[in-house]
Amino acid sequence: MKFHILYDEATRLYWLLSTQATDSMTKAERLPPGRFNLPNNERNRLQLHFSKNGFDWCFAGLVAKTESDREARHYGSMAILGDDLLVLSRSGDGQAACAHNGNLITLHRVRNFRELVY
C-alpha cells in the first residue's frame, strides 16, 4: 500500500501516514466478502506514526476509520498548516465500486498533531 512521509522542522520528526492492516495473516479465502484483494490490502483505517530517525516508528493514532471494508480511506498525503496536520485521502463510501476504486476525496484535520508525541 502507498504511504506518505513528511518531515516537520518544528519538532525535527518524521510523520508517516499509511493504511493499517489488522488481519494480514488471514488466508484470502477466509476474508469477508467485502474485502478487496489480498489480506494486507485492508483500506479502511488510516494511521499516523512519528519517528526521530525514519526507522523506528511510534504510533500516534488513527486519522480515519470506516466501519465497512467497502468504505476506504487510503493513498493519503499530508501537509502541515500551523499546529494542524491536513490529510487528503482517496476514499470511498458504501456506493463505491470496491475499496480500491473510491468515489470520494476526503480531507481530515488532526488538530495540534504535535501533542501526539510522547
Side-chain angles (χ1 to χ4, degrees), residues 38-79:
L38 300 174
N40 64 340
N41 278 346
E42 194 168 352
R43 297 166 184 264
N44 67 326
R45 298 170 67 92
L46 198 57
Q47 65 181 343
L48 186 64
H49 286 80
F50 62 89
S51 172
K52 291 180 181 179
N53 57 21
F55 289 103
D56 303 309
W57 294 95
C58 299
F59 181 72
L62 285 177
V63 174
K65 175 185 172 293
T66 67
E67 296 305 318
S68 161
D69 290 327
R70 184 178 200 79
E71 301 173 59
R73 301 294 182 267
H74 60 127
Y75 295 0
S77 62
M78 56 189 161

Side-chain angles (χ1 to χ4, degrees), residues 6-99:
L6 178 69
Y7 183 72
D8 177 27
E9 291 284 344
T11 58
R12 297 175 61 187
L13 293 173
Y14 296 93
W15 291 85
L16 167 68
L17 180 69
S18 64
T19 54
Q20 181 183 37
T22 62
D23 61 359
S24 64
M25 299 302 288
T26 302
K27 292 182 178 183
E29 62 270 12
R30 293 188 179 176
L31 291 173
R35 281 291 298 281
F36 177 80
N37 206 344
L38 300 174
N40 64 340
N41 278 346
E42 194 168 352
R43 297 166 184 264
N44 67 326
R45 298 170 67 92
L46 198 57
Q47 65 181 343
L48 186 64
H49 286 80
F50 62 89
S51 172
K52 291 180 181 179
N53 57 21
F55 289 103
D56 303 309
W57 294 95
C58 299
F59 181 72
L62 285 177
V63 174
K65 175 185 172 293
T66 67
E67 296 305 318
S68 161
D69 290 327
R70 184 178 200 79
E71 301 173 59
R73 301 294 182 267
H74 60 127
Y75 295 0
S77 62
M78 56 189 161
I80 297 169
L81 181 63
D83 292 328
D84 298 346
L85 188 65
L86 301 180
V87 174
L88 196 64
S89 171
R90 177 174 153 181
S91 301
D93 61 16
Q95 304 301 310
C98 65

